[in-house]
Amino acid sequence: MKLRSHLITLVVVALVPVLVFAGVMIVFIGNEREQALKDNLLEVARALSLAIDRELLASVRTLEALATSQHLDSGELRKFYEQAKRVLEADRRWDNMLLVDLSGQQLVNLRRPFGSPLPRSGAPETIRQVSETGQPAISNLFWGYIAQRHLLGVDVPVIRNGKVRYVLTASISPELLTKLLLQQSSSPDWVSTVIDRKKIIIARTQNIEQFLGKPATALFAAKSDESREITWRGITHEGIDVYAGLHRSELSGWTVGVALPASLIESRKWNVLAGLVGGGTLLLLVGAALAFVFGRRIAKPIATLTAAAAALGRGEAAPVAVSGVHELDRVAREIESAAANRNRVEEELRNSQAQLRALAAYQELIREEERKRMARELHDESRQLLASVHISLSEMERELSGASQRKLEEVRDLLTQIEEHLRNLSHELHPTILDDLGLYPALQSLAEKVSARSRIEINLEGRPNSRLHLTVETSLYRIVQEALNNAVRHGQATTVNVRLYQENGLVHCCIEDNGVGFDLPAALARTGGESLGLVGIRERVEALGGTLKIRSALNQGTELCVEIPVERSE
């Protein structure tokens, strides 16, 4: 049999089983992708619910601190009115604050002058729940008679001598929840919805003006009663066929649902199948043609491969081929020993590199976890303590003279500065938005803070196709953070462009500024310490199997680009 016949037969025999296996794998992967989609829906719904719960818990803690006011002990409601007004001005999440008695009658309403006639509470069932249980509660959506719009309430008891005396309420606009959903949304095709315990829509990423206060779809409402977490396929209010998932909060009883159009998922499946059939057919034809052409070309010079085998034994590059053709089998025997030695060395080198990368990644994970722990302690503990100090200062104010009150105001200003400093320090240590909402919202927040602080114009373009592994998101966030800090401290830049996108199996992140640039070889030569300089950035990227490219020169700006394989980020 001629060599070209062997090659054509080899191509066909090799490709047909691969194509059959690929067909089977397409079905298997399709099922796996569907399950992965359901898991992703639940993950997103869980993350959104957690973010909402954190906002509600922060409001509960602040209200509980205010509920300890001495003015409520003495019944001096006018002084409590002034104290609560200062707290409302400091917490921009709230729309209003109320103090009601156990019958639901409003005693203090910060949207009305003190002493004005006031209506009863718009959420009497929540007031009754708090008064009976003595525990904080989150209301369903209700209509505010004074505000004349839909509101949500966070209610805490005011307890004296072991009994509930009043209920302190903070009103929250549903717009706050919608903004939170929009910050997490990674694509306009996703629809995120929040419903209260009565299955009424209180927030939505699409058409909220049309659906606020309207009942959820019957299937969504039924699924929210069926399980705390569940996925299904259904129809939205707009009549769109979707895959959906939900998570119900134990804190508020609200349910967060997320949905993705089914047409997007099914179109991808059919595109992959069509590509497999067309590509497989084309691959067979091309392979047969190439085998025919190259078989004729290598028939005569095949004897020269023996010399190539000897060169391989000396460590020089040489091709290796194995087939039923006598000449190629002879070459294979000649190079077998040399190839084995070289392959063993290469394997040992790859194993060493992998171990080094794994060690570097583990060390960085430990450091990041410690930053996260410190950030949470700074944020949670200091916020409660400072709120208590503000309240104590308010109670001291009535006992001081005019000059002392001015000093007290100076102390308040210092406390506000401390609070802002601690908040910034907590964010610098580890931004919680990165864990809760992902890389793109975290970079948006970072860009806004750096731009506000330095007056540098920062443009953020593109985003990944989906959430990446937390280790990769953290590394990319730290890389962008270090690049922005360099542009502010050293680059003297006025504009920074950050591009983040996914293409050809890679996650790309490029940071370009118009600053004064720097001497790149000299900068790369400086090592040591644990700073996130250029050497630290390179170590982060290499630990993830990626590549780093830097372009800079004096007075020509700086461009830093990172590429990470998608499979390393999943």
Side-chain angles (χ1 to χ4, degrees):
M1 183 179 292
K2 294 183 178 180
L3 177 62
R4 59 176 174 267
S5 299
H6 277 284
L7 292 176
I8 293 174
T9 302
L10 178 63
V11 168
V12 173
V13 171
L15 287 180
V16 169
V18 171
L19 294 176
V20 172
F21 176 75
V24 174
M25 289 304 296
I26 284 294
V27 176
F28 176 79
I29 292 173
N31 294 333
E32 290 293 318
R33 287 175 64 89
E34 183 173 345
Q35 183 59 45
L37 170 66
K38 293 179 180 179
D39 294 340
N40 191 33
L41 288 169
L42 291 179
E43 181 180 351
V44 173
R46 197 180 300 122
L48 288 173
S49 181
L50 178 61
I52 293 173
D53 283 354
R54 286 184 174 175
E55 291 294 326
L56 295 175
L57 280 173
S59 295
V60 168
R61 289 169 180 162
T62 303
L63 287 173
E64 287 177 337
L66 183 60
T68 63
S69 172
Q70 291 183 352
H71 300 316
L72 295 177
D73 295 339
S74 60
E76 296 174 298
L77 296 186
R78 179 181 293 276
K79 292 183 178 180
F80 176 78
Y81 177 94
E82 297 297 330
Q83 181 183 20
K85 196 168 186 179
R86 286 191 293 270
V87 175
L88 178 63
E89 291 171 354
D91 199 324
R92 300 186 180 276
R93 294 168 302 183
W94 298 345
D95 181 80
N96 193 11
M97 193 186 301
L98 309 174
L99 182 70
V100 301
D101 62 19
L102 300 188
S103 69
Q105 175 62 46
Q106 297 183 17
L107 303 177
V108 171
N109 187 315
L110 299 189
R111 295 304 181 197
R112 286 290 182 269
F114 183 80
S116 301
L118 299 175
R120 298 179 66 82
S121 169
E125 58 271 86
T126 309
I127 301 299
R128 184 167 54 252
Q129 177 184 346
V130 174
S131 64
E132 291 175 353
T133 65
Q135 297 295 323
I138 311 299
S139 77
N140 293 316
L141 189 70
F142 65 90
W143 183 259
Y145 295 110
I146 294 180
Q148 286 297 295
R149 60 193 180 96
H150 288 103
L151 295 171
L152 299 161
V154 178
D155 301 81
V156 301
V158 178
I159 300 176
R160 296 295 185 272
N161 298 323
K163 295 183 178 180
V164 178
R165 182 179 296 181
Y166 308 109
V167 176
L168 187 57
T169 300
S171 300
I172 300 176
S173 171
E175 295 176 359
L176 177 67
L177 302 183
T178 297
K179 290 179 180 178
L180 194 59
L181 296 181
L182 289 172
Q183 289 175 351
Q184 166 67 8
S185 178
S186 59
S187 169
D189 297 318
W190 287 74
V191 180
S192 302
T193 307
V194 183
I195 61 175
D196 64 16
R197 295 183 296 275
K198 292 184 176 180
K199 318 306 179 188
I200 300 299
I201 296 174
I202 59 178
R204 202 171 191 261
T205 55
Q206 294 183 11
N207 304 321
I208 184 58
E209 300 84 2
Q210 178 181 355
F211 297 112
L212 179 64
K214 302 294 180 60
T217 63
L219 186 55
F220 185 10
K223 291 295 182 181
S224 68
D225 286 333
E226 184 176 334
S227 177
R228 187 185 174 201
E229 281 190 349
I230 195 171
T231 60
W232 75 96
R233 186 168 180 174
I235 305 296
T236 67
H237 274 297
E238 295 88 345
I240 301 174
D241 185 17
V242 295
Y243 286 93
L246 64 79
H247 177 85
R248 186 173 66 250
S249 167
E250 291 186 350
L251 174 67
S252 63
W254 299 346
T255 301
V256 177
V258 293
L260 183 64
S263 59
L264 293 179
I265 307 302
E266 293 173 350
S267 64
R268 294 172 186 168
K269 184 187 301 183
W270 286 111
N271 288 340
V272 171
L273 182 60
L276 173 66
V277 174
T281 302
L282 179 62
L283 190 61
L284 280 173
L285 295 176
V286 172
L290 290 175
F292 181 82
V293 173
F294 282 96
R296 297 181 60 183
R297 292 181 59 184
I298 67 175
K300 291 182 180 180
I302 195 168
T304 60
L305 291 178
T306 303
L312 180 63
R314 297 191 299 269
E316 301 174 2
V320 178
V322 177
S323 79
V325 180
H326 174 72
E327 293 83 356
L328 297 180
D329 289 339
R330 178 182 168 192
V331 173
R333 288 192 297 271
E334 289 286 341
I335 65 174
E336 183 178 27
S337 177
N341 290 333
R342 190 176 70 178
N343 291 341
R344 182 174 64 253
V345 171
E346 291 175 349
E347 183 65 23
E348 292 174 354
L349 180 59
R350 283 193 296 268
N351 290 338
S352 297
Q353 292 173 340
Q355 290 174 358
L356 289 174
R357 291 194 185 103
L359 178 60
Y362 178 75
Q363 290 175 336
E364 184 54 35
L365 176 63
I366 295 300
R367 287 195 294 266
E368 200 61 39
E369 287 297 323
E370 183 62 16
R371 295 189 193 107
K372 184 189 300 185
R373 183 190 65 78
M374 294 173 63
R376 285 180 176 170
E377 290 184 0
L378 278 175
H379 181 272
D380 295 339
E381 298 293 337
S382 63
R383 185 171 184 175
Q384 296 182 43
L385 292 174
L386 288 174
S388 300
V389 173
H390 275 292
I391 293 172
S392 298
L393 290 176
S394 298
E395 294 172 353
M396 293 171 57
E397 185 178 18
R398 59 189 179 88
E399 302 176 3
L400 300 176
S401 63
S404 298
Q405 288 183 348
R406 287 193 296 272
K407 289 291 184 180
L408 193 62
E409 287 299 324
E410 294 176 2
V411 173
R412 278 204 186 96
D413 292 339
L414 290 175
L415 285 175
T416 301
Q417 295 176 27
I418 292 172
E419 187 172 11
E420 181 65 22
H421 178 72
L422 289 175
R423 184 161 46 247
N424 292 336
L425 180 58
S426 173
H427 186 83
E428 287 293 326
L429 283 172
H430 186 84
T432 56
I433 190 175
L434 182 63
D435 297 336
D436 298 338
L437 304 181
L439 177 61
Y440 187 77
L443 290 180
Q444 283 182 315
S445 176
L446 174 65
E448 291 173 359
K449 291 180 180 295
V450 175
S451 181
R453 183 175 67 248
S454 63
R455 301 186 180 276
I456 290 179
E457 179 182 358
I458 301 176
N459 302 311
L460 181 61
E461 302 173 4
R463 63 172 58 193
N465 298 341
S466 62
R467 285 294 298 269
L468 307 175
H469 191 279
L470 181 59
T471 302
V472 176
E473 290 187 342
T474 301
S475 295
L476 288 174
Y477 178 90
R478 294 301 185 190
I479 290 170
V480 174
Q481 184 181 45
E482 178 65 20
L484 292 180
N485 288 337
N486 287 339
V488 172
R489 292 196 299 261
H490 311 300
Q492 302 179 26
T494 59
T495 302
V496 180
N497 296 318
V498 180
R499 290 179 289 115
L500 184 68
Y501 60 97
Q502 187 172 322
E503 185 179 74
N504 298 329
L506 296 172
V507 178
H508 302 259
C509 181
C510 292
I511 306 98
E512 182 180 11
D513 67 58
N514 64 348
V516 297
F518 62 94
D519 186 347
L520 182 58
L524 291 176
R526 293 193 294 266
T527 60
E530 295 186 1
S531 65
L532 289 179
L534 295 179
V535 174
I537 291 176
R538 185 179 299 278
E539 290 176 351
R540 284 182 181 275
V541 174
E542 290 178 351
L544 295 172
T547 58
L548 170 66
K549 298 179 182 178
I550 305 174
R551 180 199 60 78
S552 184
L554 293 177
N555 301 318
Q556 295 185 20
T558 300
E559 183 181 33
L560 184 150
C561 291
V562 171
E563 295 179 354
I564 298 175
V566 172
E567 63 268 21
R568 297 302 298 270
S569 65
E570 293 178 348

